[in-house]
Amino acid sequence: MNASANAGVLSHSGSDANAHANAQKTQQYSAFYVHKHLYGIDVQSVQEVVKPMPVTPVPHAPPYVIGLINLRGQIATAVGLLELFETGKKSTPDMMNIICNIEGNLISLMVDEIGDVLEMTRTDFEETPATVPVAVARLLEGVFKTKDALMSVVSIEKVAAEIGIKKKS
Amino acid sequence: MQIADGVLKEFIAEFNEMLERMGLGLSSPDSHRDPVELVRSIYRDIHTIKGNAMMFGLPLTGRLTHAIENLLDLLRQKKTPLSPELVTQLLGGLDYLQQISLSLSQHKHEPQIESAINQSVASFEAFYLRLNASETAVPTGASEPQPNIAAAVAAPASSPSAEAVQPNIERVAAKSNAEEGIQETIRVNVQVLDNIMNMVGELVLVKNQMQQRVKNLHEEDVQISQRLSVITSELQTEVMKTRMQPVGNVLNKFHRICRDLASELKKDISLEILGAETELDRALLEAIRDPLMHIVRNSIDHGIETPEERRRHQKPGQGKVSISAFHEGGQVIIQISDNGKGIDVERVRKKALEKGLITGDKPLTEKNILDLVFHPGFSTAEKISNVSGRGVGMDVVKTNIEKIGGTVELESKAGQGTVTTLRIPLTLAIIPALIIACQNQAFAIPQGRIVELIQIDPSTSEMHLESIEGSPFIRLRGLLIPIIPLQDLFSKTKPFSGGSRPVQTSNEYGILSIVILSSEGSTFGAIVDDIYDSTDIVVKPLGSGLDAVKLFSGATILGDGSIALTIDVTGIAEQANIKNRAKGQTEQKISAETMRLRDSTDYLVVELSEAGQYALPLSTVHRLEKIAIRDIQMSGEFKVCLYRDAILPIFSLSKILGYKEERDDVDASVIVLSRKGRLYGLRVAGILDIMTSDAEIDPTVSQRREICGGFIQNTEVYTIIDPFAVLDNCHPGADGGIAAPDDPAAEQARKVQRKKRRILLAEDSRFFRNQITHFLQDSGYTVVAAEDGLKAFNILKSSEGKSFDLLLSDIEMPNMTGLELAEAVRAEPGAKTLPMLAITSRYAANDIARGAKAGFDQYLEKLNRDELIKHIDASLGVVA
């Protein structure tokens, strides 16, 4: 997937002109760390953040499905970003869970560490650099330049598509 | 007019509801925000009532509502505001409707007020004409309808004047009744019910978790928790009830369908519905609607004959289809039976042949043929009609019913009719399940799929796990049941491939827990680490991203808050490749009955160093082993290994047959044979399969003594090896190694005695006849062989009959079976004491019982030469 296609997915920017018009608008992102990198996810799609939970493994599931989590009686699918990003590392049960509700499907993204909610301005947004490994880039919307780091924006839609959640049209 | 209670009740409830709604709207039209919409809504309600009335055959209601509808239609079209006169007129009409509704609920028929209704209808028509003539021509006739109504209502009563006030009273009475009706039933949005259901499901889970936690707490807490538990269970039951609907809701619609279809097909059919009040979860009810429809259509179209045809067969001209629903064993049974011509088994068979569903060479039982009806794409309708024969057939019925955990059975008697039985679980949302453990993780298996639980304790159990090339199986009541170690199946790292490593037990005593499961006609066992508990579970969908995982159908939350995956039995069967194997198994099952007639034998198929398929009669095989090459040592000229604390001589089967010896790998596949209580090993290049064949055996394929024949199955040629002849050959004194030599002198003494004994052998298979004759003669006996029971019986009855000392008979034979033969022989005077032994390739306990009843002294295995001779010796008093 190439970088320009990624940019097109951004929720509020259909074209470059639009992007410019929205330049001053800010958007909030839930920041987290995976594999020592800073990532963010649209705060709108995050239902809650929960502490490490017991995970019930599902035999024969794809490697990135770590298992199922009992979230107060609801069953959420725990998705390991380490595996999804093909880092070669394995998620462990002591990781934090970012619970996202995608069209009624509960997904828990397993991450190393939870950061703050960051407010980002569109002017700081860039397309995903071509050098980012495809395994990661295919799931990103783009990158925000912050003062001291880069925050890659994980597209929950792309993650959903990747793990086979069909969009209800 | 005969309307089923449930339907009528539903109709009345709706009727009252609409009356109330209309009454309310009309009584205060000004308060209504949108008068036009008010008229429309009343129009809709009246229209609905009219439709229902027509359907239920309520003529008065129909006529009245038709008249009201016409008037309302005018209002609707011209958007005339509701004048007070109009309202009065309409309310008058509603009063009559109310009266009808009351009578319907009390007496189940319309009240005797025909003339009153006629007058009311007339007044509506007059009003209609007036309005139609001029939209504004209302004022003068304003008060006119009122007296009309009074008169109309009074009409049915004997003295009109005395009861002129009737309508008001009736209205009040009906109203209070309607209010009561509201308390009895209310209509609730299905979505709301579903939400409540889900939440109760959650509540059950929370309760379960709570119970786990309070165990260690204060007594009071425990009590509260117990109360919570009781209330939750009751709530759950009650909520489940809200989802229950009488099957009549679906069944009663068939009256109409039946009538229409029957007239279309020019048939005379009465439909009888029994147990319409039986309740079923509405989701299930929805799911069985189409299958039921299909079956009923089938009965009408294929089952019931035309009146002429029926009369020709001395049947009443009117055919009967009856549907009965009832509870049985926690399931709802729905039976659809007709007294039509039944299923033409011969036509089904021909059709199946035509479509290539079966091959003509195997005779099938009637039941087998009936089952073919469920085969995809099977339809026997000769011409494609509007009614059936559209290619969607009973297979769809079966699939849909099985999807909801039910079963379909078909029974048919030619000329007498067909009975289709559906078994449906009561509800889907909560299912009973068995919780098992595999690698410290809990899984749930739906009880409906479980056949039985088996524990194998190697120290006590007679049953043990056997394996073919590492694929384990057990023998359960004469059937080979493939076994899947769940642990292997679930292991992520190693995809399941039949598992070539030894089965591990997590249990320190080596006790195996096996759950025997059934899926789409095949039966297999799953080895689990532990069996926990049987419990009701609330099944939730598996969750996103796991669509591709076919092993599980969902997940549930257990009492301790942990998640248990629900095992999809069909899924694991597919994953473990049971399905393909099972297909063969079912095909075998189909013809199992017929195969007995043709003497089937189980064979172990092995691979040798030379190309080709080699088969050994399975009955001769003691065990199958894999022995590490490094454990095999030379002892003199023989290869031996330590086996169960004894020395096992190992011979190469390839070498004995004149081929080159098997290549040394890591392991050697060894067939362990038991002969005269001693064990021998035959090494082969590989163990391929176990198969059952009833193919004709050609004994002439080889002159070698070790090869007793060949047969063809599925275009493959198999060479049958006589393993005992192999042992004789490779080892003239084959009794070295473990075996102790038999006393030659004693054997000689027995041989001399045997010479004087004559044995009559009845056996239809040439191969077995030759084999048995051969080894009996070898041992010294004189043998006369007959090709079937009848021939044997004739020989016995002939002059030489008296000279026989023993009858040895196969069971399944043409012309006269072994059992018939035994009975016939026992009935002969003078043959009452003739020793009779039954020989067969397979037998179970009930076979033995049947044989004993017919007169056989014993049941023996055909190819077990030593056993056979030992028993014959014993019967004839041959001693060393």
Side-chain angles (χ1 to χ4, degrees), chain B residues 156 177 284 414 445 478 508 524 620 647 662 742 777 804:
Chain B
N177 198 279
L284 290 172
I445 306 177
E508 56 186 305
F524 63 97
T620 61
I647 305 286
E662 287 81 6
D742 201 12
Q777 280 171 346
F804 288 103

Side-chain angles (χ1 to χ4, degrees), chain B residues 184-224:
Chain B
E184 275 165 26
T185 54
I186 44 164
R187 295 155 135 324
V188 182
N189 190 326
V190 166
Q191 188 59 47
V192 175
L193 280 187
D194 284 348
N195 290 347
I196 293 176
M197 187 69 213
N198 285 340
M199 280 188 280
V200 169
E202 305 296 335
L203 185 62
V204 172
L205 297 175
V206 175
K207 177 214 73 179
N208 288 348
Q209 276 165 269
M210 176 92 172
Q211 263 177 320
Q212 296 266 336
R213 294 191 74 113
V214 298
K215 273 185 190 148
N216 316 320
L217 292 180
H218 198 263
E219 180 144 355
E220 268 174 39
D221 297 323
V222 176
Q223 276 177 3
I224 293 174

Side-chain angles (χ1 to χ4, degrees), chain B residues 345-364 368-380 391 393-395 583 586-588 590-591:
Chain B
V345 174
E346 186 48 33
R347 214 173 79 192
V348 171
R349 202 185 65 84
K350 271 195 193 140
K351 190 93 175 183
L353 264 178
E354 227 173 79
K355 301 205 167 197
L357 302 178
I358 51 168
T359 49
D361 49 4
K362 272 186 202 163
L364 296 171
N368 303 148
I369 296 172
L370 280 182
D371 283 344
L372 289 170
V373 171
F374 293 117
H375 212 281
F378 191 94
S379 173
T380 55
M394 292 298 281
D395 63 308
K583 220 167 200 164
T586 18
E587 269 161 27
Q588 280 172 21
I590 284 184
S591 49

Side-chain angles (χ1 to χ4, degrees), chain B residues 65 88 172 281 396 422 464 481 547 551 555 695 782:
Chain B
T65 45
T88 319
V172 171
D281 189 287
V396 180
L422 307 184
H464 55 270
I481 309 278
D547 291 348
L551 293 179
T782 308

